[in-house]
């Protein structure tokens, strides 16, 4: 059963899901915005009257400010994933916090929306980094479900993985781009599937299960967050799943 930990401890942990029986879950997209994938995803979300949180990379936001404004204008949440996709484990706490502070301000300026959530690349962070990030006024958000959509696959298979890992109060990790293409192995196929189609299948599947997709902040409102230190899970997932 989920339990509440003291704030001094909880600040070093990321939000994994929320404790609720309400038929709602958080839908999130990392690594964008992307000029092709993000508009398609936004179109599908609009058609289903669904909301999501977009954990953007600042380098992508700089290149596509129009998409940043569209995400916010259409009622979705703008959150931060970093400048690029480099793990903050490669940085000192001071350097990580300085980067996150600067990028959050930049993304706010580009989108016209406040940034209150941060997801570390690969879900990897130290407790000290998490505490420092929280002192910036940012909540560290992880995930409880993963479509493994950083790998190329059939749309149906990706959506089924996502739906299988979804539950009431869960947070689903998806992507509107692959933020670290330099890590694609020589024998690996770069993702080439229709991300909009995957979103369509996920939202249809959620509706069939009686679940509604919403943003992380809406999910957190008046609900108890379940916190976790996700580094080990994330890095294990990285060997067979990349957040």
């Amino acid at each position: 059963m989920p339990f509440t930990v003291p704030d001094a401890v909880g600040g070093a942990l990321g939000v994994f899901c929320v404790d609720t029986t309400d038929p709602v879950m958080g839908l999130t997209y990392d690594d964008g915005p992307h000029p092709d994938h993000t508009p398609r995803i936004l179109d599908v979300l609009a058609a289903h009257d669904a909301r999501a949180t977009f954990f953007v990379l600042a380098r992508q936001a700089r290149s596509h400010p129009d998409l940043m404004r569209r995400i916010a204008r259409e009622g979705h949440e703008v959150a931060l994933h970093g400048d690029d996709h480099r793990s903050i484990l490669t940085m000192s706490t001071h350097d990580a916090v300085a980067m996150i502070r600067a990028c959050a301000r930049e993304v706010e300026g580009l989108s016209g929306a406040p940034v209150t959530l941060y997801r570390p690349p690969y879900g990897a962070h130290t407790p000290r980094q998490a505490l420092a990030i929280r002192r910036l006024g940012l909540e560290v958000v992880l995930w409880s479900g993963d479509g493994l959509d950083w790998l190329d696959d059939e749309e149906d298979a990706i959506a089924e993985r996502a739906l299988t890992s979804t539950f009431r109060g869960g947070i689903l990790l998806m992507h509107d781009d692959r933020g670290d293409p330099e890590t694609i192995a020589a024998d690996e196929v770069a993702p080439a599937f229709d991300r909009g189609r995957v979103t369509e299948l996920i939202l249809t599947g959620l509706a069939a299960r009686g679940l509604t997709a919403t943003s992380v902040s809406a999910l957190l409102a008046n609900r108890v967050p379940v916190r976790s230190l996700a580094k080990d899970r994330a890095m294990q997932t990285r060997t067979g799943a990349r957040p």
Side-chain angles (χ1 to χ4, degrees), residues 192-208:
F193 56 86
D194 184 343
R195 295 181 186 271
R197 173 62 177 159
V198 172
T199 299
E200 175 71 38
L201 291 169
I202 289 172
L203 292 176
T204 300
L206 289 174

Side-chain angles (χ1 to χ4, degrees), residues 47-59:
H48 285 261
D49 195 25
R51 299 293 180 270
T53 297
F54 288 81
F55 287 92
V56 304
L57 296 174
R59 70 178 182 188

